[in-house]
Amino acid sequence: MNPPFGGSGPAGFRPHETGVLTTAPRLLRVLVIEDNPGDAVLVREMLRDAHDATYQLHHATRLREGITHLLNQGADCVLLDLSLPDAEGLTALAQLRNVAVDTPVIVLSGRSDETIAVRAVQEGAQDYLIKGQVDTRLLSRSISYAIERKRAELQLAHAALHDGLTGLPNRALLLDRLGQALTRLGRRAAYVAVLFLDLDRFKVVNDSLGHDAGDRLLVDVAMRLSSDLRGGDTAARFGGDEFVILCEEVEGEREAIAIADRIAASLDAPFRVGDEEVFVRTSIGIALASGGGVRPETVIRDADAAMYRAKERGGGACEVFDDGMRERALQRLEHEHRLHRALHQHEFVLHYQPQVRMTTGVVAGVEALVRWEHPERGLVPPGDFISSAEETGLIIPLGAWVLEAACRQSAAWAHALGERSPVVSVNLSARQIAHPDLVATVAEVLERTGADPATICLEVTETAVMQDLEAAVCVLNEVKALGLTLAIDDFGTGYSSLRALQRFPFDTVKIDRSFVSGVQDSEQAAAIVSAIVSLSHALGLRTVAEGVEEVGQVERLRALGCDVAQGFFYARPTPASNLDSLLGL
Ligand code: C2E
Ligand code: CA
Ligand code: CA
């Protein structure tokens, strides 16, 4: 934007700085755009006689020439003839305002086209004069008036587009600048980043120190934000304690995050409000846009959504919402497609990990753990695809397949080993538990495979059953009625493990690896394991320690009374055929 009134020359009149218009003498630079030499001379002579100011006049005969002068030298006021060789009437005014919206314009018109002159004022000219009806006094007064009026207009426009408290641009102005930035982006491989900031503890400050202190803090925050900006970026206040920063020419997510980190770090330093030192933290949501018809409102909404997620994570954090989000949604679809195909092409296999009775060393059970035998990637662990199978719903057919394969294996072991055959544990996901067909599926699979329900244990996590407690209680009771056993997996990692124990008909508690791994060195972990074991025993439940890796852990767990152990110390998950000798086949 041009400086207001184009006052950039050495003697340039800068009304914003002096704030005084009435004191003479002063130097005013007037640009006359007029193709009629006679009229131009007339203006020059009138201004030469003026007393209230000294006028420095520049004369252009074409609009182009006038605009060039305005862009290079500026002017305090323009006198514009409405019939020029290269522009007619209101078009001339519009073109002029395009390049110098801050410069006051007085339209010069002939007697015959006074109506156009009036229209010109409606379209943004500050005043009009009819040629032949002008004298020195009228002209110099009109110039003064035009300058004053333009200044008032600019002030009003500023107030409409800025936040009254902090002086930062407001929502309307930011949306406008964002729209322009998106247009400028065009097809270039750069991004516009929008950072949505929300102060985490502002309400506390406002409530405890009072409104004035709150206002003071917002002003200080605004000042820090502005001083941290890179040239060309815009910080805006959206009301309350919400600020939005618009950054252009951002290379990508990493750079946007770096900017957010810098801002967060600068706001981390304490603020002084009165006698108090106040700390604010900020949650920042980032949205990146790469042009291509994105609406400014959409980008703001995405950044806002990302900010909410940052807040959900406990605040003081930064989250990115970008095109990648959409990409991730597409990726999910692709994953679903791939998993579907893998299921169809029999690429999933089960490995089994032994569970060893601690007193006798006998293999009491095995846990079935699914793997994907990927034609190119090799053996893919469940951590890489279970959550995506959950999200896409593919866990339902995949889980049914796992159950069936495990039951078939169990039936085979029962056939070969009789009484000595191991209990086979199968993991159920939250989505499977919530699925209305679960009980029917389990019943069908038992029927089809001929597996003895007593040799099948279903493992569920507390988080999975607590999502819809009542429904899960119902379903798991029905499963139990079919004759299967139930285990609670990852015990101790949730918030309501004890409540889960109380509400569900579990037979087995699987003590989470995080406690097992600390059982030797941490008295706290040992105490937790000890408590879980005695609680379980008091409720008539069996305990299985997960993730046992070292002999020291085995000894400690045995001493604490744990019944069964599972882990790399005994065996890694392996195909059923590798377990023959361990099972005594
Ligand atoms: P989980 O149910 O807690 O299974 C135990 C995990 O711990 C297995 O990982 C196992 O390989 C690993 N593990 C066993 N012993 C040790 C040890 O000594 N040290 C360490 N560090 N790890 C040990 P895996 O096979 O990668 O499975 C990961 C998770 O994937 C499982 O955790 C389970 O939640 C899920 N999962 C596996 N198979 C299935 C399935 O068929 N259906 C469902 N819904 N989830 C499954
Ligand atoms: Ca498990
Ligand atoms: Ca587990």
Side-chain angles (χ1 to χ4, degrees):
M1 240 201 267
N2 282 354
F5 308 97
S8 54
F13 172 54
R14 299 187 181 98
H16 272 312
E17 287 169 24
T18 62
V20 180
L21 280 157
T22 43
T23 22
R26 56 208 163 126
L27 181 75
L28 292 181
R29 297 165 311 145
V30 174
L31 168 64
V32 183
I33 309 178
E34 168 65 80
D35 61 329
N36 182 328
D39 287 342
V41 168
L42 218 60
V43 167
R44 186 180 292 282
E45 282 172 358
M46 281 190 266
L47 290 182
R48 190 181 298 142
D49 296 342
H51 295 298
D52 59 340
T54 311
Y55 295 92
Q56 188 184 74
L57 196 117
H58 183 90
H59 176 212
T61 54
R62 286 164 182 266
L63 185 67
R64 277 275 105 233
E65 188 193 333
I67 285 176
T68 308
H69 176 83
L70 206 51
L71 288 175
N72 292 332
Q73 323 271 315
D76 297 314
C77 186
V78 177
L79 301 182
L80 177 68
D81 176 22
L82 278 188
S83 75
L84 293 166
D86 57 345
E88 261 299 315
L90 297 175
T91 329
L93 176 67
Q95 286 182 29
L96 190 65
R97 280 172 51 80
N98 262 344
V99 296
V101 75
D102 297 341
T103 309
V105 178
I106 298 165
V107 160
L108 301 172
S109 78
R111 225 178 302 239
S112 55
D113 48 11
E114 192 172 342
T115 36
I116 295 197
V118 173
R119 284 273 308 282
V121 171
Q122 286 162 357
E123 306 269 309
Q126 274 61 46
D127 200 0
Y128 73 91
L129 295 169
I130 310 284
K131 290 180 188 173
Q133 299 183 355
V134 187
D135 58 19
T136 296
R137 216 166 55 86
L138 190 61
L139 180 58
S140 67
R141 208 175 69 191
S142 175
I143 290 171
S144 247
Y145 168 72
I147 290 173
E148 188 64 61
R149 182 167 165 183
K150 185 80 216 179
R151 184 169 72 150
E153 270 176 35
L154 287 174
Q155 266 171 5
L156 280 177
H158 187 271
L161 294 173
H162 291 79
D163 168 47
L165 177 65
T166 61
L168 291 182
N170 63 11
R171 179 191 291 264
L173 182 53
L174 189 98
L175 275 171
D176 184 61
R177 291 210 183 146
L178 177 55
Q180 288 174 20
L182 290 171
T183 311
R184 268 197 296 277
L185 212 48
R187 292 161 176 273
R188 279 173 321 118
Y191 289 91
V192 167
V194 168
L195 279 58
F196 204 108
L197 276 77
D198 186 285
L199 307 182
D200 291 334
R201 297 187 58 253
F202 179 70
K203 208 177 135 26
V204 181
V205 174
N206 220 24
D207 291 349
S208 59
L209 299 180
H211 237 74
D212 289 347
D215 283 356
R216 187 70 245 145
L217 179 62
L218 289 173
V219 171
D220 288 351
V221 166
M223 265 158 52
R224 271 196 211 173
L225 287 179
S226 313
S227 64
D228 281 344
L229 290 188
R230 312 173 309 167
D233 292 350
T234 305
R237 178 168 176 237
F238 265 36
D241 57 350
E242 289 178 346
F243 294 88
V244 171
I245 293 169
L246 164 64
C247 304
E248 293 192 54
E249 296 296 331
V250 172
E251 270 173 22
E253 195 170 303
R254 279 166 67 133
E255 192 184 349
I257 292 173
I259 296 171
D261 284 346
R262 213 182 49 230
I263 289 169
S266 125
L267 295 182
D268 259 355
F271 288 87
R272 181 151 281 286
V273 180
D275 297 334
E276 306 277 340
E277 266 205 342
V278 176
F279 290 87
V280 297
R281 263 191 337 174
T282 162
S283 300
I284 305 180
I286 303 173
L288 290 159
S290 49
V294 191
R295 294 180 52 229
E297 290 86 356
T298 309
V299 187
I300 300 281
R301 192 199 58 207
D302 290 351
D304 189 17
M307 186 277 290
Y308 265 94
R309 254 181 302 143
K311 263 213 185 311
E312 270 168 21
R313 281 192 8 206
C318 140
E319 279 274 347
V320 183
F321 187 110
D322 64 310
D323 294 345
M325 285 240 148
R326 250 151 268 141
E327 222 159 76
R328 280 194 279 281
L330 284 177
Q331 242 172 29
R332 257 202 306 280
L333 264 183
E334 169 134 10
H335 276 153
E336 180 180 6
H337 179 68
R338 284 209 211 113
L339 289 172
H340 205 88
R341 207 176 46 201
L343 196 59
H344 212 72
Q345 297 180 340
H346 311 290
E347 288 173 6
F348 291 107
V349 292
L350 287 187
H351 284 190
Y352 295 89
Q353 187 176 34
Q355 300 175 328
V356 178
R357 196 162 290 142
M358 298 208 81
T359 44
T360 60
V362 167
V363 176
V366 294
E367 178 175 4
L369 294 157
V370 70
R371 273 100 182 86
W372 180 1
E373 265 181 348
H374 196 281
E376 285 129 40
R377 286 159 64 195
L379 204 64
V380 182
D384 289 6
F385 60 85
I386 286 289
S387 62
S388 135
E390 270 261 304
E391 270 177 58
T392 57
L394 212 94
I395 193 70
I396 301 296
L398 176 59
W401 176 85
V402 168
L403 184 68
E404 176 140 3
C407 285
R408 218 171 278 290
Q409 184 60 56
S410 168
W413 276 324
H415 185 72
L417 293 162
E419 290 281 87
R420 290 180 296 125
S421 76
V423 170
V424 178
S425 291
V426 176
N427 293 285
L428 283 193
S429 77
R431 194 130 176 194
Q432 286 175 280
I433 298 165
H435 198 275
D437 292 346
L438 178 70
V439 181
T441 305
V442 173
E444 270 169 38
V445 166
L446 287 172
E447 169 97 23
R448 200 162 45 233
T449 56
D452 176 1
T455 65
I456 306 295
C457 173
L458 299 183
E459 296 192 359
V460 299
T461 62
E462 172 211 325
T463 7
V465 292
M466 284 304 188
Q467 281 174 15
D468 184 354
L469 183 83
E470 298 311 322
V473 166
C474 229
V475 166
L476 292 186
N477 274 317
E478 284 182 54
V479 167
K480 194 74 199 263
L482 292 172
L484 292 86
T485 54
L486 293 176
I488 181 164
D489 208 350
D490 305 342
F491 188 80
T493 53
Y495 293 109
S496 43
S497 302
L498 292 181
R499 216 163 129 237
L501 269 196
Q502 202 190 357
R503 291 301 306 273
F504 292 93
F506 290 121
D507 306 279
T508 299
V509 169
K510 297 195 77 175
I511 304 168
D512 191 68
R513 194 172 82 220
S514 55
F515 305 118
V516 172
S517 63
V519 80
Q520 288 176 89
D521 310 317
S522 148
E523 277 319 306
Q524 207 184 1
I528 290 171
V529 171
S530 166
I532 295 175
V533 170
S534 47
L535 177 74
S536 303
H537 288 171
L539 294 171
L541 310 179
R542 199 176 64 121
T543 49
V544 177
E546 290 192 279
V548 178
E549 293 181 346
E550 293 165 23
V551 66
Q553 293 167 346
V554 175
E555 283 159 5
R556 195 72 204 264
L557 288 165
R558 195 181 284 133
L560 292 172
C562 185
D563 305 294
V564 175
Q566 173 184 352
F568 295 169
F569 175 74
Y570 297 100
R572 290 190 176 248
T574 181
S577 54
N578 291 345
L579 290 174
D580 285 358
S581 64
L582 250 177
L583 293 171
L585 264 173

